[in-house]
Amino acid sequence: MTDSNSDVVALSPKVPPSTSPGAHNVHYDLERELRRSKSSLRSEPGISQIKRRRTRASTFKTVETSSSRPHWQPGQEPGVDPSKPNGGRFHTPTLHEECQITVVDFSEDSIEMHECNNAQIIELVQKEMEDWIKCRWINVNGLSWDVIQALGNYKSLHRLAIEDMMNTNNRTKADWYTDHMYIVITLQKLVHLHDEESDDDSDDDGDFSSEKSQKQKRGGFAQFLRNLSGKKEKPISKLNRGNSAPVVASNNEYVTAHTAGIKQAPVQKLRTLQRYHGGPNQERMAFMEKHSSLADKNLAVSAEQVSIFLTSDNCVISFFETSADDIEFPIIRRLSTPDTILRRSCDASMMTQAIIDAIIDLAIPVTTAYQDTIGSLELDVLTEPDIKHAKSLYIVTSEITVMRNFINPIANMVNALRDHKSVAKPEGGTRVDAQTASSVKISPLARTYLGDVEDHIVLIAEQLDQMRRSADGMIDLIFNTIGAFQNESMKQLTVVTIIFLPLTFLTGYFGMNIQPFNALNHGESYFWKIALPVSFVVVLFLMRDMINRWITNIGSPASR
């Protein structure tokens, strides 16, 4: 039977009785439960529930491996619906912070800018836009569910795009929907690190300082002996003390830094390149950050996800994690000048191009810093090659590879924007093909300037490739140079061995304790009369190739 008002569907096909002696009636019960939570289970009376097999109790249980997607479960409904209070999930999203929101309304003749917080932006989007406004840009610094829900309902943003925006580890892409477009891009910039002392850290540091003072009381002689023996004490991991498995800690996810190259840049909570893409192993992340070539200059590369919505009604909504000010200030300066292209065009696609261009411009100082680092390492490798340089080059290569993996997809995304052809708005709110059914317009002017953005991306990618090849070549040069030094040492040892080989043989021969041995009745000169000619012949025979090359090099015109 089928009950439309119940969550359980039961099928009970009846088999007519058979006249054969081996036949019997078969009854099938199919129970399907739609659960809203793990604790709420409902079933129809008379229908047996499907029980979990006991053999499953010893299987490996699912482990939460990342804190970036809390309450995530496999097989759940895709997307986050902003029209529902809990987003259509079992648990209400816990993403909340006080956001800094800037709303810029402008036309060719006028411009207005509003600074809003979380509550004010909810009130602002409920008001109708005035007639003089031709383009609106909403720039959000921070991710909070109440703001995301308000703006999602304001522009009917797709639930899949909202889910991607809340998950801050997405690939660079451009998704096209019926009345808006969603862009994900990774922002990378050079930052100056700051030291921050918190209460928790100070308590932990007290334990480590006491341990350090106890080690210093042992005296320097024990440390000297340990250095001679090559033994080093394994440092106690502050990140993983008291736990056998490294776990991502939310308080260790960010560092305090400010953007390099910008005057009076605010101090921000940022994720370094290793923290953004390093995985859950905190010990590896701390090691890579500590031994990074940029760490000596108190510099680092930060990375964060940027989400951009371009709607069909000439509106742009951008979400930054922390670095909105680095993009907002130069764009507002351009909008404040009436004769700029961005202001005169009043085009949302040009506003999108300006945001992407500013993000790419922030990556240029990063490549310059890596070029300076590679140049310094190259000078050290050419003058005093050491095996420790290989470790620094490996870390630089890994960082450059990660950065290149973030930069290259942006070129493909820019090409997709330039090749987009807008058409009439279709029915429904589903995800569509960019070439067939999207009403979002990319103006010819925006396509032209997106070509300039692509040139910058290609230039950065080529510089990163060149630096990576240079670093790989220097690693090979280090090992080749060390190998050549070892070969030279072995050659010198071989020459000494060849010279003393006949002398050792003769010494052993005359030193034999046998009787009678008439040669021992002669003096010392008798030994050298035999040893010198034999040694000369043996050395001349075994070193004939080396002597031949030496004579040839002396007689060649190049040596004169």
Side-chain angles (χ1 to χ4, degrees), residues 102-115 130-138 328-340 342-344 346 351:
T102 303
V103 181
V104 182
D105 297 329
F106 64 96
S107 64
E108 296 180 1
D109 301 327
S110 180
I111 180 174
E112 287 186 1
M113 186 174 65
H114 307 276
E115 298 287 343
E130 299 181 11
D131 296 337
W132 66 270
I133 301 175
K134 291 186 178 181
C135 184
R136 167 170 284 185
W137 175 35
I138 303 176
E328 180 179 306
F329 291 157
I331 293 180
I332 290 180
R333 190 181 302 112
R334 292 168 59 185
L335 291 175
S336 302
T337 306
D339 58 346
T340 57
L342 185 61
R343 172 71 178 277
R344 288 188 287 107
C346 295
M351 176 64 68

Side-chain angles (χ1 to χ4, degrees), residues 401-433:
T401 302
V402 173
M403 183 177 177
R404 184 182 181 277
N405 292 337
F406 288 148
I407 290 293
N408 269 358
I410 302 179
N412 299 330
M413 185 266 295
V414 170
N415 285 327
L417 297 180
R418 297 184 67 189
D419 297 339
H420 172 69
K421 301 294 188 298
S422 60
V423 294
K425 181 178 179 180
E427 297 295 333
T430 59
R431 181 174 174 176
V432 296
D433 185 5

Side-chain angles (χ1 to χ4, degrees), residues 6-80:
S6 176
D7 293 337
V8 179
V9 179
L11 299 179
S12 303
K14 296 182 179 180
V15 181
S18 176
T19 57
S20 60
H24 59 277
N25 294 338
V26 180
H27 179 74
Y28 295 93
D29 290 335
L30 175 62
E31 179 184 9
R32 183 178 59 188
E33 298 185 0
L34 303 176
R35 298 174 298 175
R36 288 189 174 274
S37 65
K38 296 180 180 179
S39 60
S40 61
L41 296 173
R42 295 182 299 174
S43 61
E44 288 290 331
I47 300 178
S48 60
Q49 297 183 1
I50 301 176
K51 296 184 178 180
R52 198 176 187 90
R53 294 178 302 188
R54 294 182 179 180
T55 56
R56 281 187 167 183
S58 60
T59 57
F60 183 75
K61 297 181 180 180
T62 305
V63 178
E64 184 72 20
T65 59
S66 177
S67 61
S68 60
R69 302 181 68 179
H71 307 303
W72 177 85
Q73 295 177 355
Q76 66 184 4
E77 185 76 11
V80 178

